Amino acid sequence: MAEKARTATIAELARDGDGWSPLRMHLDVRSFGVNAWTAAEAGAQLIGEHDEVPSGHEELYLITAGSATFTVEGEEIPATVGTVVFVPDPAATRAAVASEPGTTVFAVGAHPEDAYRPRAWEQNATVFPLFGEGDYNGAKRALTEALDRYEDREGLLYNLACAEARLGETEAAIGHLGESVALRPSFAELARDDEDLDAIKGDPRFDEIVGAEQTSTG
């Protein structure tokens, strides 16, 4: 018999620390991006300032609990329970700050014309706690398994290089860092000061990877 439905609650999925409820990943939604965030206190960032230029996504936000203030292209929008904020322009910067504890925002996004493909930020977000716990093998395993599932691989490759460097796997770390910087040159600057990469900073190939970007932008 075909599966009829999958269920979850935002509260049971909410992570400690950032309040993220990874609905898309948990339910394996494949036609649109869907997530929720819950703020532990007033003034907490619900939606970090960003645009959707890399994805081309339209985004819709719904306040399901509490209240928040959205800022879209500099315009403040107060939002209470039931308020929907739709941002059709991927280039528009948007952010949201909770006005009271327990505020929850439900977010949906997708490209208006193309078939939806998940974005790699969600997988990267799942491995950051593993880095914090020192579980670099776990982070490496999760990132390696995710490489073929996402179109925007550069962040996955960068974090994979960090995990490998922590594990002393120099060749793999250098290779994945090079791939990452080739896809997103701005990662070269990030790499120069990243303690996760300290183990490979003495390798001349590291200087070649990050130094080429330094020369081109100098």
Side-chain angles (χ1 to χ4, degrees), residues 105-187:
V105 60
F106 178 86
V108 179
H111 194 285
E113 298 174 3
D114 299 335
Y116 175 76
R117 291 196 65 177
R119 305 290 293 176
W121 70 265
E122 62 183 20
Q123 184 64 60
N124 284 318
T126 67
V127 301
F128 291 148
L130 298 177
F131 274 86
E133 296 164 5
D135 184 6
Y136 305 116
N137 277 308
K140 174 188 171 182
R141 184 166 53 253
L143 290 162
T144 301
E145 292 172 354
L147 282 176
D148 293 332
R149 296 204 302 266
Y150 297 93
E151 216 171 16
D152 53 329
R153 294 158 44 96
E154 56 269 25
L156 297 172
L157 289 164
Y158 181 90
N159 288 326
L160 180 56
C162 289
E164 290 164 337
R166 287 286 192 178
L167 292 168
E169 300 174 4
T170 301
E171 294 300 315
I174 288 290
H176 288 133
L177 179 63
E179 289 184 65
S180 175
V181 172
L183 291 169
R184 186 178 296 184
S186 63
F187 280 166

Side-chain angles (χ1 to χ4, degrees), residues 15-213:
R15 301 197 312 182
D16 293 335
D18 59 8
W20 174 39
S21 298
L23 296 169
R24 195 213 68 78
M25 295 181 74
H26 181 79
L27 298 171
D28 193 25
V29 178
R30 302 184 184 185
S31 54
F32 51 87
V34 56
N35 292 280
W37 286 267
T38 300
E41 57 188 25
Q45 194 86 32
L46 272 175
I47 303 294
E49 185 175 76
H50 72 289
D51 60 51
E52 286 296 325
V53 171
S55 68
H57 287 181
E58 299 179 329
E59 284 194 325
L60 181 148
Y61 303 96
L62 167 66
I63 297 296
T64 62
S67 60
T69 299
F70 284 81
T71 303
V72 179
E73 286 292 280
E75 178 185 350
E76 292 192 352
I77 303 170
T80 55
V81 172
T83 300
V84 174
V85 178
F86 176 52
V87 186
D89 182 2
T93 58
R94 76 292 308 265
V97 175
S99 301
E100 56 186 284
T103 297
T104 298
V105 60
F106 178 86
V108 179
H111 194 285
E113 298 174 3
D114 299 335
Y116 175 76
R117 291 196 65 177
R119 305 290 293 176
W121 70 265
E122 62 183 20
Q123 184 64 60
N124 284 318
T126 67
V127 301
F128 291 148
L130 298 177
F131 274 86
E133 296 164 5
D135 184 6
Y136 305 116
N137 277 308
K140 174 188 171 182
R141 184 166 53 253
L143 290 162
T144 301
E145 292 172 354
L147 282 176
D148 293 332
R149 296 204 302 266
Y150 297 93
E151 216 171 16
D152 53 329
R153 294 158 44 96
E154 56 269 25
L156 297 172
L157 289 164
Y158 181 90
N159 288 326
L160 180 56
C162 289
E164 290 164 337
R166 287 286 192 178
L167 292 168
E169 300 174 4
T170 301
E171 294 300 315
I174 288 290
H176 288 133
L177 179 63
E179 289 184 65
S180 175
V181 172
L183 291 169
R184 186 178 296 184
S186 63
F187 280 166
E189 182 176 357
L190 179 65
R192 293 181 201 120
D193 298 319
D194 195 330
E195 294 180 358
D196 286 329
L197 297 171
D198 282 353
I200 61 172
K201 288 182 181 177
D203 191 306
R205 292 171 295 177
F206 177 86
D207 292 334
E208 291 174 8
I209 293 168
V210 304
E213 172 65 10

